[in-house]
Amino acid sequence: MSKIAILDTKVEKNRLKNRKFRYYSVLNGRDSGVESALCSHGTVCAMILDYLTKDYELINIQIMEEPPSNQGKPMGYIEDLRIGLELCLDLKPDLICMSAVTSVLSDSKELYSLVKKIAEKSTVIAALDNKGYVTVPSSYPFVIGVLADRENILGPGEVMYREDGWLCSNVFANCQFDWLKE
């Protein structure tokens, strides 16, 4: 059984088929609940993973708060991302998935050595920024940077590798599942 860590907002575990679940928060007393009737960003990511994966343990490391409905995407702090990644060193997941990235390239001084150390033991997958900015840790050579298939070249659940990937990313994924539109 694989151990998969998601560094994101809090995951609503009752929306998952998988029941092997652990939750950690690095928010130090800040509100960690979901304040919306909609799924949190972390929950949506976990639901996609749950749909495509079997026999795994999910480790939800909350590093960001979910914003109130219709108030933008989750935002966080580089310190919380660093603490969440340090927790991964202790938990030793096989796979680390994160949408939490930064386009502030000077944040690399906080992340590079840590992510490199983690990548020696775990596979690290990080989404690139949806606006097309260079981001870290997504652009590190030892991280699998993933871009959304915005052109719908792929079908839902399909992944494509391109040698000439954009912004240091060679992997494209389509997660436009009909059930997510609900």
Side-chain angles (χ1 to χ4, degrees):
M1 173 180 16
S2 295
K3 290 194 314 188
I4 302 173
I6 291 182
L7 281 74
D8 208 295
T9 62
K10 186 174 185 177
V11 171
E12 301 165 59
K13 68 180 179 180
N14 62 328
R15 293 186 180 256
L16 307 177
K17 293 179 294 191
N18 179 47
R19 294 295 168 215
K20 297 169 189 117
F21 183 88
R22 286 192 274 166
Y23 168 75
Y24 300 88
S25 175
V26 303
L27 298 183
N28 293 325
R30 290 177 296 199
D31 183 20
S32 61
V34 177
E35 298 179 12
S36 169
L38 301 175
C39 287
S40 70
H41 186 270
T43 300
V44 171
C45 293
M47 288 171 66
I48 292 168
L49 176 73
D50 194 57
Y51 183 77
L52 298 170
T53 309
K54 290 182 171 59
D55 195 28
Y56 70 98
E57 177 184 1
L58 181 64
I59 303 168
N60 174 209
I61 303 173
Q62 183 180 6
I63 61 169
M64 297 181 294
E65 299 174 63
E66 186 70 25
S69 297
N70 301 321
Q71 292 196 9
K73 65 181 181 177
M75 302 295 273
Y77 301 95
I78 194 66
E79 177 70 10
D80 292 339
L81 176 56
R82 186 187 57 74
I83 293 168
L85 288 166
E86 286 175 347
L87 184 56
C88 288
L89 282 174
D90 294 333
L91 297 173
K92 298 176 178 63
D94 300 298
L95 180 66
I96 300 168
C97 301
M98 61 180 138
S99 296
V101 296
T102 176
S103 57
V104 179
L105 299 182
S106 62
D107 285 341
S108 197
K109 68 183 177 219
E110 297 282 330
L111 301 178
Y112 187 86
S113 297
L114 176 59
V115 175
K116 186 171 185 183
K117 186 175 181 180
I118 292 168
E120 292 171 2
K121 305 276 185 192
S122 302
T123 301
V124 181
I125 300 173
L128 272 81
D129 183 85
N130 290 334
K131 294 180 180 177
Y133 300 126
V134 173
T135 56
V136 295
S138 312
S139 60
Y140 295 159
F142 41 83
V143 170
I144 299 171
V146 179
L147 281 166
D149 173 28
R150 301 256 179 241
E151 298 166 9
N152 288 317
I153 295 168
L154 306 169
E158 291 184 333
V159 177
M160 174 178 69
Y161 175 86
R162 287 186 53 179
E163 190 64 39
D164 61 343
W166 188 54
L167 297 175
C168 302
S169 174
N170 298 61
V171 178
F172 296 79
N174 184 317
C175 295
Q176 297 297 321
F177 296 102
D178 287 337
W179 54 265
L180 271 180
K181 296 172 186 158
E182 297 172 14

